[in-house]
């Protein structure tokens, strides 16, 4: 009888131990699962942080690229604008110069004719008929000069003034005590200017 009681007691104890063991194992499994879950959560959080950093880095790189392109485009625009302004100013200046000196080409072709008038008028004659012809030539010559003057074409001052390489072309030199050195002694061919531009310098003889 006592043996049966002891056996039942032993069985009960074994069952309790098994339950405790199973419970402990379950708790361990649950704990391991919790640890795994925590570790996975940390990994996910770290991955999200890395992804956010990569996204931020990509956005920063893209922003820098766009800013660099905008800067380059702005510089190109400024260069194009400057080139256009220079072209516009140059074109305007060329048009103004063309309008201002529109008579230059014609004047340059007429100056040799004017020289021939002056050579003809320098001829001395005693014949009345020749004098009459010369008077007519002189009248045409003066009209010619007046027409040139209307276009702002006038003779360059030369005789008795200091030599100016911008207005005069020295082809001879001569020593004269009556004049200062560098003074124009004689005009061999008249020079002319159109407004403020010399279209033909005067050929002169200069005092040494």
């Amino acid at each position: 009888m006592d043996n049966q009681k002891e056996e039942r007691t032993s069985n009960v104890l074994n069952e309790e131990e098994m339950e405790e063991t199973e419970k402990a194992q379950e708790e361990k499994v649950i704990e391991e699962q919790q640890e795994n879950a925590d570790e996975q959560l940390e990994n996910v959080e770290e991955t999200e942080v890395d992804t956010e950093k990569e996204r931020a880095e990509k956005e920063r790189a893209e922003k820098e690229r766009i800013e660099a392109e905008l800067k380059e485009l702005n510089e190109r625009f400024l260069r194009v604008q400057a080139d256009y302004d220079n072209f516009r100013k140059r074109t305007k200046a060329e048009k103004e110069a063309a309008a201002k000196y529109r008579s230059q080409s014609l004047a340059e072709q007429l100056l040799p004719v004017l020289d021939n008038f002056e050579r003809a008028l320098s001829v001395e004659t005693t014949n009345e008929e020749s004098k009459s012809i010369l008077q007519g030539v002189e009248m045409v010559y003066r009209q010619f000069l007046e027409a040139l003057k209307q276009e702002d074409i006038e003779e360059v001052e030369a005789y008795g003034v200091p030599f100016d390489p911008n207005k005069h072309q020295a082809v001879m030199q001569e020593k004269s005590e009556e004049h200062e050195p560098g003074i124009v002694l004689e005009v061999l061919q008249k020079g002319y200017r159109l407004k403020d531009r010399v279209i033909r310098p005067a050929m002169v003889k200069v005092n040494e």
Side-chain angles (χ1 to χ4, degrees), residues 1-15:
M1 189 76 176
D2 291 336
N3 289 335
Q4 292 179 352
K5 185 176 180 180
E6 288 178 359
E7 186 176 353
R8 286 197 300 272
T9 301
S10 177
N11 290 335
V12 170
L13 290 173
N14 288 335
E15 290 177 359

Side-chain angles (χ1 to χ4, degrees), residues 144-156:
F144 197 176
L145 287 179
E146 185 61 29
L148 293 177
K149 188 175 182 180
Q150 293 295 323
E151 293 295 323
D152 290 324
I153 300 169
E154 295 181 333
E155 182 181 343
V156 171

Side-chain angles (χ1 to χ4, degrees), residues 132-163:
S132 177
I133 294 174
L134 285 177
Q135 287 177 353
V137 171
E138 184 176 4
M139 183 181 300
V140 175
Y141 170 71
R142 294 189 181 281
Q143 290 177 338
F144 197 176
L145 287 179
E146 185 61 29
L148 293 177
K149 188 175 182 180
Q150 293 295 323
E151 293 295 323
D152 290 324
I153 300 169
E154 295 181 333
E155 182 181 343
V156 171
E157 185 181 9
Y159 178 74
V161 302
F163 174 78

Side-chain angles (χ1 to χ4, degrees), residues 68-80:
E69 289 182 355
L70 287 174
K71 182 179 179 181
E72 182 181 358
L73 288 173
N74 185 57
E75 290 176 351
R76 288 173 60 187
F77 170 75
L78 291 176
R79 286 196 296 270
V80 170

Side-chain angles (χ1 to χ4, degrees), residues 160-175:
V161 302
F163 174 78
D164 183 347
N166 296 314
K167 300 177 181 179
H168 309 139
Q169 180 182 356
V171 294
M172 295 179 64
Q173 282 188 317
E174 185 177 290
K175 184 67 175 178

Side-chain angles (χ1 to χ4, degrees), residues 25-178:
Q25 290 178 348
E26 290 177 357
E27 289 178 352
K28 185 177 181 181
V29 169
I30 292 172
E31 184 177 351
E32 288 177 354
Q33 290 177 346
Q34 183 65 40
E35 288 177 355
N36 290 335
D38 291 342
E39 185 177 349
Q40 290 178 358
L41 180 60
E42 289 178 359
N43 290 336
V44 170
E45 290 176 350
E46 289 177 359
T47 302
E48 290 178 351
V49 170
D50 291 341
T51 303
E52 186 66 27
K53 287 181 179 179
E54 291 177 0
R55 186 183 299 112
E57 183 66 22
K58 288 181 179 179
E59 290 178 353
R60 184 184 65 80
E62 182 67 12
K63 181 180 179 182
E64 289 178 352
R65 184 185 67 80
I66 293 173
E67 288 177 349
E69 289 182 355
L70 287 174
K71 182 179 179 181
E72 182 181 358
L73 288 173
N74 185 57
E75 290 176 351
R76 288 173 60 187
F77 170 75
L78 291 176
R79 286 196 296 270
V80 170
Q81 187 179 42
D83 290 342
Y84 173 73
D85 288 342
N86 291 334
F87 170 77
R88 183 172 53 81
K89 291 177 182 177
R90 185 171 61 253
T91 302
K92 181 181 179 182
E94 289 173 354
K95 287 181 178 179
E96 290 176 349
K100 184 176 182 180
Y101 304 112
R102 67 185 184 279
S103 304
Q104 180 171 345
S105 178
L106 178 61
E108 289 173 343
Q109 296 179 55
L110 292 177
L111 291 182
V113 179
L114 189 62
D115 295 337
N116 288 331
F117 268 109
E118 291 174 350
R119 292 188 186 97
L121 292 172
S122 66
V123 175
E124 294 185 4
T125 178
T126 57
N127 186 293
E128 292 297 326
E129 185 177 353
S130 297
K131 287 183 179 179
S132 177
I133 294 174
L134 285 177
Q135 287 177 353
V137 171
E138 184 176 4
M139 183 181 300
V140 175
Y141 170 71
R142 294 189 181 281
Q143 290 177 338
F144 197 176
L145 287 179
E146 185 61 29
L148 293 177
K149 188 175 182 180
Q150 293 295 323
E151 293 295 323
D152 290 324
I153 300 169
E154 295 181 333
E155 182 181 343
V156 171
E157 185 181 9
Y159 178 74
V161 302
F163 174 78
D164 183 347
N166 296 314
K167 300 177 181 179
H168 309 139
Q169 180 182 356
V171 294
M172 295 179 64
Q173 282 188 317
E174 185 177 290
K175 184 67 175 178
S176 173
E177 300 296 338
E178 299 178 0

